[in-house]
Amino acid sequence: MTNNHEQITRILQPVAVIGANGHTGRFVVAELLRRGFKPIAIGRSSVRLAEAGYYERGIECREAAVEDDAALDRALAGAAVVINCAGPFMDTADAVVRAALRAGIHYLDVTAEQPSVQATFERHEVAARDAGVAVIPAMGFYGGLADLLVATVMGEWDHADTIEIHVALDSWLPTKGTRITGEKNTAKRLAVSGGQMQPVHQPPVEKVSVLPAPFGQQTFVELPFSEVPLITRHVRTKELHAFLSKAALGDVRDPSTPPPRAVDETGRSAQRFAVEVVVTQGELRRRIIAQGQDIYAVTAPIICEAAQRILSGDIRDTGAKPPAAIFNADSFLRELDPHLSIETLEV
C-alpha cells in the first residue's frame, strides 16, 4: 500500500516523456498517472500533443525537437527522470541522453535497436557514472524484459553455456514508428556464438518450440533485438540466440498489415505474447516463460516500474547499464503482476 508521504514524493518528482504523443508514449503517460506521478508530455508538435488529449486533461506539455539542444534543455527542466519513447532511437537516443546528463537526471528508453543500445553504453557509461544517474536503454518489451527474465532464471549461476530467447506473438500489427525503424535499421543483427558477438548466420536459423496455450507448437526464426547487447554486458555465456515467431515476422514484414486496434478502454490491442527463456549450464537446464497482452502496452508498466524504483532509491548501481545490473530482477518482475504471468521451471 502506498502511504501519503510516498504519494506526495512521486507528485513532486515529475517524469518527462519524450514522444508522448506516439503510440507507446500514450501508454507510458497513462501508466505514470495511474502510479501517482506527474508526467511532462514532450513532443515535436503542440498540435499532436493536443490531439493526444493532454492539454484538456491538465497534463503539462512542452514542445521540443531532439535536434535542438536548447529546446531539449528547456523541456527537461524540473524533471527527475526522462523516458524516451521517440524512435528511431538511432536518431534520438544520443541527443536525449546528453540532455539528461546536462540536467543531471536519469534516462530510460524503449529501443529495440541493437546499435542504439551499444552506442549508449559506449558513449555514456563514464559520464553517467560520474553524474550518479542511471542511463538504461531498451527498458521495454524488447530488450529489458528478456534481460530481467534471464537474470531471474539464472539465479545464483555466474555463467551460462547457452541462452535462448523465444518471442511468440499471435499477431504483430506494427505501429508507424515500428515500420519507420524497421526501414532505417539496416545494421547486421548480432548474437553470441563461441563466446563472441557475431553477426547472425544467413539465412537465419529456424527452430521449433512448444509454448503454453494459446501458442502451442511454434516455428521461430533467429532475429535478435536489443536484448543481446543488454545481456552480454553482465552475463557470461558461450551462446546467446534470440528468436521471433515466424508468423509474427510475416505480419511485420507485410506492408498491408494494419496498425494496432484498441479492444478495451485502456487502448490495448488483442495481441497476445509469450517470451520463453531457456538457459543451460552443463547438464542443468532452466526455463522461464512470461505471457501477457499487447507488446506496446506492456512496455508502459515495465518502464514506469523502472522509473519508480529509481526515484525511490531501490537500485543497485548507477551509470549506463542494462536493467538487471541496476535492479533486482526477480523482485522487479513480481511487481509487474497482473501485467505479466510468469512461470519458472527447472528441467
Side-chain angles (χ1 to χ4, degrees), residues 309-325:
R309 286 179 176 242
I310 288 169
L311 292 178
S312 68
D314 187 11
I315 59 176
R316 293 170 163 174
D317 205 353
T318 56
K321 291 182 170 61

Side-chain angles (χ1 to χ4, degrees), residues 171-183:
S171 66
W172 191 352
L173 307 182
T175 65
K176 180 180 178 181
T178 295
R179 290 206 178 278
I180 292 172
T181 299
E183 291 168 1

Side-chain angles (χ1 to χ4, degrees), residues 23 26-27 173 175 258-271 293-294 296-297:
H23 188 78
R26 297 185 193 207
F27 284 119
L173 307 182
T175 65
R261 182 175 64 85
V263 296
D264 64 25
E265 68 282 356
T266 70
R268 294 187 304 176
S269 73
Q271 178 197 60
Q293 179 179 346
D294 192 330
Y296 299 107

Side-chain angles (χ1 to χ4, degrees), residues 188-189 199-205 222:
K188 291 182 178 180
R189 295 179 186 263
V200 169
H201 183 271
Q202 296 298 323
V205 172
E222 186 164 16

Side-chain angles (χ1 to χ4, degrees), residues 28-266:
V28 170
V29 170
E31 180 66 14
L32 287 170
L33 289 170
R34 190 188 71 79
R35 289 172 178 251
F37 285 98
K38 177 184 176 183
I40 301 170
I42 301 172
R44 289 179 175 273
S45 165
S46 58
V47 172
R48 290 200 62 196
L49 290 169
E51 290 172 350
Y54 292 142
Y55 290 100
E56 63 190 46
R57 291 157 61 193
I59 295 170
E60 183 175 2
C61 297
R62 299 177 184 177
E63 191 172 350
V66 296
E67 300 86 2
D68 186 335
D69 285 354
L72 270 181
D73 291 346
R74 290 192 296 271
L76 297 183
V81 176
V82 57
I83 297 175
N84 182 10
C85 298
F89 295 88
M90 292 173 287
D91 297 339
T92 69
D94 189 64
V96 182
V97 174
R98 287 188 285 106
L101 292 173
R102 290 195 298 272
I105 65 175
H106 307 282
Y107 171 92
L108 303 163
D109 72 35
V110 298
T111 184
E113 306 156 37
Q114 291 186 340
S116 172
V117 173
Q118 291 173 303
T120 296
F121 287 148
E122 291 166 3
R123 296 173 185 171
H124 302 296
E125 165 57 23
V126 173
R129 185 182 66 242
D130 290 348
V133 299
V135 170
I136 311 175
M139 190 70 244
F141 175 82
Y142 284 112
L145 177 56
D147 183 55
L148 294 166
L149 289 169
V150 167
T152 296
V153 77
M154 286 188 64
E156 77 284 3
W157 289 2
D158 63 358
H159 72 281
D161 291 330
T162 67
I163 300 172
E164 285 196 2
I165 299 159
H166 308 133
V167 177
L169 312 177
D170 65 358
S171 66
W172 191 352
L173 307 182
T175 65
K176 180 180 178 181
T178 295
R179 290 206 178 278
I180 292 172
T181 299
E183 291 168 1
K184 296 193 71 171
N185 185 11
T186 59
K188 291 182 178 180
R189 295 179 186 263
L190 302 175
V192 175
S193 187
Q196 301 294 323
M197 293 274 276
Q198 306 276 0
V200 169
H201 183 271
Q202 296 298 323
V205 172
E206 294 190 11
K207 68 179 309 175
V208 173
S209 184
V210 179
L211 300 182
F215 293 97
Q217 182 170 298
Q218 295 281 311
T219 300
F220 293 90
V221 179
E222 186 164 16
L223 190 72
F225 289 92
S226 48
E227 67 283 335
V228 169
L230 294 182
I231 294 165
T232 55
R233 296 289 288 194
H234 66 101
V235 176
R236 291 189 295 119
T237 184
K238 297 174 184 176
E239 302 288 330
L240 169 56
H241 302 276
F243 299 81
L244 178 67
S245 56
K246 196 170 183 178
L249 183 58
D251 283 345
V252 79
R253 287 182 172 172
D254 183 349
S256 68
T257 302
R261 182 175 64 85
V263 296
D264 64 25
E265 68 282 356
T266 70

